[in-house]
Amino acid sequence: MNTDQIVRTFTDWFRERGHEPVNGGTLLPSPSDPVLFTTSGMHPLTPYLEGRPHPQGRRLISLQRCLRTTDLDEVGDRTHLTVFEMLGSWSLGDYGHSQSLRWGYELLRGGFGIPPGRMYVTVFGGDDEVGPDIESLDTWRELGLPVEPTRDENWWSHDPVGLCGPDSEIFVWTGDPGTPPQGTPTSDPRWVEVWNHVSMRYRRESDGSLQPLQRPGIDTGMGLERLVTVLQGHNSVYDSDLFEPWTRLLPPLWNLDETSTRLVCDHLRSGIVVIGDGVRPSNAGRGYVLRRLIRRVLTTLWRDDPSRTLSDLPDELLRHTLDHFRQPLGTGPVREVLLDEERRFDRLLERGRRVLGRPEFNGPLSDEDYHYLHDTHGLPRELVTTLRTP
Ligand code: SER
């Protein structure tokens, strides 16, 4: 199955079971939300999970793009992405956890064709405050899947205060298909978590107490890229069809090592999406995140060839990304933003070289020097290091 078919299978499955797709999409949270970018599929639905009635009803699904900068240093490995998408399903005081798990299992098995022998699940085993999640345990046993109970790993909360509850995670075996699965989700990393079903039934108050919600809900989330990678039998998200034009067109253009190629793919693709959602580079907030993404790309490209330029970026990559994320912006304006930022960065580097050429910066640099270069000349430490490398 390609990515579009996977998304359609998920959407059709839940629509047939009475779920309405919500207008998932933009990375920008509502203006009253203090966070810069949407970080998970459930994020825009938080007020509704807390009890507000949703205009589209009590059974919802979405495909939500998300952006996380917490993992920026991990980008370049097989799995971490800056912008990714989450498939999610919600019951706002409608059906319960057991129904959600059953549907989850049926979709993975019947819709996506994952054999039950390649699935393992974890459930909340109880702690000092809340007893074990017997309902989930019984459901999984009836369905015949192996279950591993845990404590902390299966208690979902996003913040110290707010919504929380026990969750149950479905793992898929990604080891060699020729050998039977081994170990358990917590003991063997070849068990990869694909779907998290949270029974959102508590609220942690600021005094630390746990209050049951008047209207408990179900919140599930499944990372699209990870699901696609697992279903297509790949080891790395970059080998999936999601990155097909990137991995085909970038290596002949810029001959980089594997980690750098992945970083350039991830950051450019993420930058395009952020621009598509209306953000422009700046020195603060969302614009600064975008600026950092583009400049990290340029630093990587220019490390061994300063003549590389984003003007060479094939239009197909811009088009593919905007289409995939259902963004109406044309490729022309996106390219303009990228090239404008490239020119600004180039000028900054030129200034940086001039400043670093001064005799006082000849020797080793102190933390104070780095602060001065950053605060007065806008030169980040990473950049200074690069500029001083012969
Ligand atoms: N809240 C759950 C998660 O973030 C499911 O959406 O994984």
Side-chain angles (χ1 to χ4, degrees):
M1 274 192 194
N2 64 31
T3 299
D4 289 344
Q5 288 165 328
I6 289 169
V7 171
R8 210 168 321 118
T9 302
F10 179 92
T11 310
D12 290 349
W13 175 273
F14 278 103
R15 286 187 77 125
E16 282 160 19
R17 287 155 184 81
H19 292 68
E20 282 292 314
V22 292
N23 281 336
T26 174
L27 286 169
L28 312 190
S30 67
S32 58
D33 197 323
V35 306
L36 291 180
F37 291 104
T38 298
T39 54
S40 70
M42 64 149 324
H43 185 147
L45 288 161
T46 308
Y48 306 102
L49 284 162
E50 281 174 339
R52 191 195 294 178
H54 194 284
Q56 288 178 266
R58 302 199 302 168
R59 295 184 180 194
L60 305 172
I61 46 169
S62 85
L63 174 61
Q64 173 67 49
R65 49 181 174 270
C66 309
L67 186 148
R68 289 188 193 165
T69 50
T70 39
D71 294 335
L72 221 49
D73 290 331
E74 313 276 348
V75 169
D77 69 3
R78 294 182 299 114
T79 54
H80 284 91
L81 297 172
T82 309
V83 167
F84 58 95
E85 290 179 286
M86 298 271 293
L87 290 162
S89 62
W90 292 274
S91 155
L92 303 177
D94 197 59
Y95 57 85
H97 209 185
S98 176
Q99 179 64 84
S100 180
L101 300 178
R102 281 175 198 280
W103 278 338
Y105 171 73
E106 286 167 22
L107 175 55
L108 292 179
R109 187 184 172 174
F112 294 131
I114 301 174
R118 284 182 60 210
M119 289 190 230
Y120 214 123
V121 297
T122 58
V123 301
F124 181 65
D127 61 15
D128 307 338
E129 275 185 299
V130 177
D133 183 359
I134 301 292
E135 184 191 346
S136 299
L137 196 65
D138 287 347
T139 305
W140 290 127
R141 286 202 174 133
E142 269 173 46
L143 292 168
L145 289 194
V147 186
E148 181 177 31
T150 81
R151 269 172 75 120
D152 300 345
E153 284 95 338
N154 285 87
W155 181 261
W156 188 91
S157 67
H158 187 260
D159 295 306
V161 170
L163 291 170
C164 53
D167 69 357
S168 186
E169 301 180 358
I170 309 176
F171 290 73
V172 174
W173 177 252
T174 61
D176 183 354
T179 54
Q182 293 155 33
T184 68
T186 64
S187 69
D188 194 316
R190 287 172 293 180
W191 287 106
V192 169
E193 184 217 325
V194 294
W195 204 348
N196 186 12
H197 291 238
V198 185
S199 173
M200 211 62 98
R201 51 185 153 105
Y202 296 101
R203 195 188 142 76
R204 175 81 64 192
E205 303 295 342
S206 45
D207 65 3
S209 66
L210 205 54
Q211 298 301 331
L213 293 179
Q214 283 191 346
R215 194 204 63 187
I218 301 296
D219 155 45
T220 85
M222 177 151 65
L224 176 65
E225 293 77 2
R226 191 185 292 180
L227 177 69
V228 167
T229 307
V230 167
L231 290 180
Q232 293 179 356
H234 298 302
N235 204 12
S236 148
V237 66
Y238 295 94
D239 294 333
S240 74
D241 65 332
L242 280 161
F243 281 89
E244 184 283 316
W246 289 90
T247 45
R248 171 167 48 86
L249 295 170
L250 274 201
L253 183 62
W254 299 317
N255 182 19
L256 302 161
D257 61 63
E258 187 173 49
T259 306
S260 304
T261 302
R262 288 173 175 174
L263 182 141
V264 168
C265 285
D266 170 85
H267 283 17
L268 276 178
R269 184 170 173 268
S270 304
I272 294 166
V273 183
V274 173
I275 296 168
D277 272 346
V279 179
R280 297 293 173 266
S282 72
N283 280 336
R286 296 184 182 122
Y288 184 63
V289 173
L290 174 59
R291 171 155 284 165
R292 259 185 90 196
L293 289 172
I294 303 173
R295 291 187 175 187
R296 275 168 65 106
V297 168
L298 293 168
T299 307
T300 306
L301 292 182
W302 290 342
R303 198 178 293 138
D304 38 44
D305 184 355
S307 72
R308 288 175 178 151
T309 163
L310 297 179
S311 356
D312 292 335
L313 205 57
D315 220 48
E316 184 181 340
L317 295 180
L318 303 177
R319 182 74 280 146
H320 176 270
T321 305
L322 293 166
D323 284 351
H324 174 76
F325 287 96
R326 307 165 297 282
Q327 294 177 309
L329 194 66
T331 57
V334 176
R335 187 179 290 279
E336 250 169 62
V337 175
L338 292 173
L339 293 184
D340 184 54
E341 187 57 18
E342 178 176 309
R343 279 190 292 272
R344 282 168 194 272
F345 191 46
D346 193 34
R347 283 201 297 271
L348 176 68
L349 291 182
E350 240 179 81
R351 190 162 74 240
R353 283 191 201 95
R354 266 203 317 275
V355 174
L356 290 172
R358 291 188 207 153
E360 67 257 40
F361 298 121
N362 264 348
L365 298 182
S366 64
D367 275 347
E368 210 181 314
D369 291 326
Y370 279 113
H371 283 304
Y372 166 80
L373 290 166
H374 182 263
D375 297 346
T376 311
H377 296 283
L379 300 168
R381 183 184 278 251
E382 190 190 36
L383 185 64
V384 172
T385 315
T386 312
L387 286 173
R388 284 164 53 92
T389 308

